[in-house]
């Protein structure tokens, strides 16, 4: 049984879907939900689901990224995770951190990578006049939003869409894509999942 630590910064809807999926014959179990934000709504949801929670507040480190990451590692490692799933974790991780967990970190990003790395993905897709948008799950490397893609889901962009409209449509697909990728990744299968 693979042990999964899920890192969040906010509401944690992807975390909830991952954790719900990890039951019965699933090859993995959630062992930790960690947030850099003590006010993240997902912390209470994780606790309700009976998952251990931890907070490492990046603001306590005042720009000392290495110190923040050393603390993250010291809190995460006692849970002995096989996989780290970033689910709306809004801190950029350094090469040192990624190397510590090399090949074991996944992220979900709300765009069809390699398009729109970084922030404001939906507004940028609408602004560019794209006809479709979507989300990607990828392995995390030192390059921001740049690791090998393990799955993508596409949605149409409809005339008059606001970025909130599009974000909501993409999020529905995120909730399908991430659990599907994790199920494969947990048994060593890196064949990309393509939805719908
Ligand atoms: C999701 O849309 C996720 O793709 C995005 O944050 C949201 C978190 O929602 N992640 C990023 O933008 C990472 N750069 P959630 O907390 O409800 O899962």
């Amino acid at each position: 049984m693979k042990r999964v630590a899920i890192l969040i910064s906010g509401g944690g809807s992807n975390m909830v879907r991952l954790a719900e999926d990890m039951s019965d014959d699933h090859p993995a179990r959630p062992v930790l939900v960690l947030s850099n934000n003590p006010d993240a709504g997902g912390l209470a949801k994780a606790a309700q689901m009976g998952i251990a929670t931890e907070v490492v507040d990046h603001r306590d480190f005042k720009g000392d990224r290495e110190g923040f990451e050393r603390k993250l590692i010291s809190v995460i490692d006692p849970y002995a995770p096989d996989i780290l799933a970033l689910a709306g974790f809004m801190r950029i991780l350094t090469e040192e951190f990624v190397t510590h967990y090399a090949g074991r970190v996944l992220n979900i990003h709300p765009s069809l990578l390699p398009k729109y790395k970084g922030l404001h993905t939906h507004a940028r897709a609408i602004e560019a006049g794209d006809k479709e948008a979507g989300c990607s799950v990828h392995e995390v490397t030192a390059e921001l939003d740049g690791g090998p893609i393990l799955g993508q889901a596409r949605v149409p962009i409809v005339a008059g869409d606001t970025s909130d409209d599009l974000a909501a449509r993409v999020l529905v697909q995120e909730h399908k894509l991430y659990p599907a990728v994790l199920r494969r990744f947990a048994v060593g299968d890196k064949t990309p999942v393509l939805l719908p």
Side-chain angles (χ1 to χ4, degrees), residues 114-196:
K115 278 187 148 183
Y116 310 126
K117 298 176 179 179
L119 299 176
H120 311 302
T121 55
H122 306 302
R124 289 157 67 200
I126 292 168
E127 175 73 15
D130 291 0
K131 295 283 176 272
E132 62 176 7
C135 51
S136 307
V137 176
H138 64 96
E139 270 188 70
V140 173
T141 62
E143 185 196 345
L144 178 68
D145 300 326
I149 292 170
L150 297 172
Q152 287 189 317
R154 317 179 96 82
V155 302
I157 297 179
V158 179
D161 266 350
T162 65
S163 58
D164 283 351
D165 295 333
L166 185 54
R169 196 176 304 127
V170 170
L171 192 63
V172 171
Q173 293 299 93
E174 293 186 40
H175 293 164
K176 295 177 186 161
L177 180 68
Y178 211 173
V181 171
L182 183 62
R183 270 185 186 258
R184 286 190 182 178
F185 192 78
V187 294
D189 181 356
K190 296 187 183 183
T191 317
V193 175
L194 299 175
L195 299 179

